[in-house]
Amino acid sequence: MWGAAPPKRFGDFQFRGRYLSKNSSGATIVGLDIGTTKTCAVVATATSNGLDIIGVGEAPCSGLRKGVITDLEETVRSIEAATEKAERMAGVNISHVYVGVTGEHVRSTNNRGVVAITGEDREVARNDVRRVVEASKLIDVGNDRQIIHTLPWHYTVDGHDGITDPIGMSGARLEVDTHIITGGNTFITNVLKCVHRAGLEPAGIVFEPLASSAATLLAEEKHVGVVLLDIGGGTTDIAVYSGGGAIHTSTIPVGGNILTNDIALGLKTTFVEAESIKRTIACAINEPTGEDFSVKTLDGRTTKTVTRAQLRAIVAPRLHEIFRMAKTALTTLPRDVMLAEIVITGGGAHLRGIEQAASEFFGLPARIGVPTAVGGLTDAVKQPEFATAVGLVLFGPKGDGAIWHAGKSRSPFSGIAAWFGDLWN
Ligand SMILES: Nc1ncnc2c1ncn2[C@@H]1O[C@H](COP(=O)(O)OP(=O)(O)OP(=O)(O)O)[C@@H](O)[C@H]1O
Ligand SMILES: [Mg+2]
């Protein structure tokens, strides 16, 4: 929707610096994924080959529902526990963190910006690119929301489209198509409040599917056309890439925990037993073999026998419902977008048979996405549930999710506290 210039509620200055903590061997970058089931902090350090993971800390978290904070104290406790573990492993003091955000309050849209190329030689300069991206942000986001990301997709110079880097090209008119992601102020404020109360400074915020994509998707996949589904505990985050850039991002308020609930209700057992059954026995597809298994009743005193078919009749329909919701989100894609693959990540990707189930449902080849593109302690993070946290260190410093704050800060780190003023306490 076209409208007035975006409101700049937190002042007219966006800090774009990289926030780095220090250790004895140099600067480090920290990602903080505050999830519905766990908080995960990942510490990375830059090397000549890219990023090396030097520390990982994980702690259970029950302070969120559907990606949104419902219990500040519990969330703060979880952040403290996860970052302390990461600090110990990495041997650094963590100060600044790139924070993941998700939840139904996050929305995305595509927009176009247009400017005249003004330089004397009519060559596109860096400033023209900056101006056209700013022009694409002229959408009415409402008073209770802010833009989190503006991701340029393609540039067009004098009608020639599909340009990824227009700098130096000659022309009179520069256009850009951008993917714009907005979030609800109060939801974001609560996340940042928890980060701050845990003694940390937010370096930037990143919509979580962008982070998960940075950790798991290959450049080639993003070019050809790919859907990422990050099935977490309480949310399923979606990102679609085509032509090298993000063209759709969204989140649905259901994740793998609903399968556990359904198993507990369907088999009349405890959540602990249901979670264990989901992780060890449940399967998303029709298995030709598989023995019956015994399940503890709610009081834990007796057991009953359940067949694999009974379990599948609980799990498969719910998984298909999650897939259906994701497919509905994809109906908003432009008709000419071609998709060649689906990548499943997040802890929910561990469900046995999910690759085949997703492939059959979406009619696309499917694979499980685990974090790649990093070195160092890769064994500690080579699981789908670490995709977001690893992606935060990859995407955070490069992304545009730096935090809005009031006034031009004196030091890189002093402004953020001023920005939210007394909101923190
Ligand atoms: N082996 C497994 N089989 C099936 N599901 C699994 C398995 N291991 C973990 N899960 C599920 O993965 C989910 C947690 O995933 P993840 O750690 O990515 O979530 P999160 O980041 O805490 O939550 P969210 O992203 O929704 O805020 C839980 O529902 C958990 O039961
Ligand atoms: Mg998650």
Side-chain angles (χ1 to χ4, degrees):
M1 196 188 350
W2 290 94
K8 295 178 175 176
R9 279 167 297 279
F10 304 121
D12 58 358
F13 183 73
Q14 188 174 23
F15 189 77
R16 284 179 177 276
R18 289 167 183 230
Y19 291 90
L20 305 169
S21 306
K22 290 278 180 195
N23 71 352
S24 52
S25 59
T28 59
I29 303 162
V30 185
L32 184 68
D33 171 20
I34 311 166
T36 308
T37 66
K38 51 107 177 61
T39 298
C40 181
V42 164
V43 186
T45 185
T47 70
S48 50
N49 293 328
L51 287 182
D52 272 2
I53 305 290
I54 58 167
V56 182
E58 204 187 337
C61 183
S62 56
L64 281 77
R65 265 196 83 230
K66 301 177 179 182
V68 167
I69 290 174
T70 52
D71 183 338
L72 290 178
E73 269 180 33
E74 159 61 15
T75 307
V76 171
R77 186 209 55 73
S78 173
I79 295 171
E80 285 171 347
T83 47
E84 273 168 30
K85 282 184 196 167
E87 279 180 332
R88 269 202 300 278
M89 191 191 278
V92 300
N93 283 327
I94 295 174
S95 57
H96 289 75
V97 292
Y98 288 97
V99 188
V101 291
T102 190
E104 276 191 297
H105 64 97
V106 184
R107 292 185 207 138
S108 69
T109 185
N110 293 327
N111 205 6
R112 175 166 276 221
V114 185
V115 294
I117 301 164
T118 50
E120 269 175 31
D121 47 8
R122 291 280 161 138
E123 264 186 18
V124 178
R126 204 165 293 280
N127 190 42
D128 297 314
V129 172
R130 194 189 55 73
R131 283 191 308 118
V132 78
V133 171
E134 284 301 312
S136 78
K137 289 160 80 169
L138 297 179
I139 57 168
D140 183 5
V141 297
N143 285 332
D144 55 348
R145 311 180 63 72
Q146 61 180 299
I147 293 178
I148 310 175
H149 299 286
T150 308
L151 307 169
W153 185 50
H154 278 162
Y155 295 89
T156 303
V157 178
D158 285 358
H160 295 287
D161 62 6
I163 298 166
T164 47
D165 182 5
I167 290 176
M169 297 185 77
S170 297
R173 177 187 166 97
L174 177 66
E175 297 166 64
V176 69
D177 290 299
T178 52
H179 183 63
I180 298 179
I181 300 171
T182 65
N185 291 341
T186 48
F187 298 99
I188 294 172
T189 302
N190 281 333
V191 174
L192 299 178
K193 200 181 262 189
C194 290
V195 170
H196 196 257
R197 284 196 189 165
L200 303 166
E201 292 288 352
I205 48 179
V206 177
F207 185 31
E208 289 176 13
L210 296 177
S212 303
S213 300
T216 60
L217 300 183
L218 304 171
E220 191 60 28
E221 290 172 323
K222 289 182 180 174
H223 215 82
V224 175
V226 65
V227 183
L228 173 112
L229 278 195
D230 180 332
I231 306 178
T235 59
T236 297
D237 291 335
I238 306 167
V240 181
Y241 290 78
S242 176
I247 54 165
H248 171 92
T249 48
S250 60
T251 183
I252 50 182
V254 192
N257 285 359
I258 202 160
L259 299 177
T260 310
N261 283 357
D262 286 353
I263 294 170
L265 281 173
L267 302 184
K268 309 220 170 9
T269 188
T270 61
F271 287 120
V272 173
E273 177 85 339
E275 179 72 18
S276 160
I277 290 168
K278 180 176 81 171
R279 290 182 181 223
T280 55
I281 306 171
C283 186
I285 49 167
N286 224 335
E287 283 182 302
T289 56
E291 288 169 12
D292 297 352
F293 59 99
S294 61
V295 178
K296 279 191 215 135
T297 51
L298 268 177
D299 62 10
R301 279 193 243 152
T302 52
T303 60
K304 61 182 172 190
T305 301
V306 176
T307 67
R308 303 272 174 150
Q310 282 174 305
L311 180 59
R312 199 172 48 253
I314 296 170
V315 170
R318 188 60 97 172
L319 184 67
H320 282 178
E321 195 183 323
I322 295 174
F323 287 164
R324 218 173 352 260
M325 290 167 92
K327 209 173 199 173
T328 303
L330 300 183
T331 56
T332 60
L333 291 176
R335 277 165 181 249
D336 56 348
V337 170
M338 305 292 283
L339 298 172
E341 192 184 30
I342 181 154
V343 174
I344 316 278
T345 191
H350 283 290
L351 183 71
R352 290 192 312 119
I354 198 167
E355 233 171 318
Q356 190 181 325
S359 178
E360 286 167 6
F361 188 91
F362 290 94
L364 293 169
R367 73 170 178 90
I368 303 299
V370 293
T372 50
V374 283
L377 303 171
T378 49
D379 284 352
V381 294
K382 247 198 174 130
Q383 295 296 336
E385 60 268 36
F386 295 117
T388 306
V390 171
L392 286 169
V393 298
L394 289 163
F395 186 90
K398 285 190 276 184
D400 64 341
I403 284 173
W404 293 82
H405 60 84
K408 296 182 166 95
S409 60
R410 293 141 310 277
S411 86
F413 306 139
S414 63
I416 293 174
W419 158 55
F420 265 104
D422 55 8
L423 280 177
W424 298 126
N425 301 305

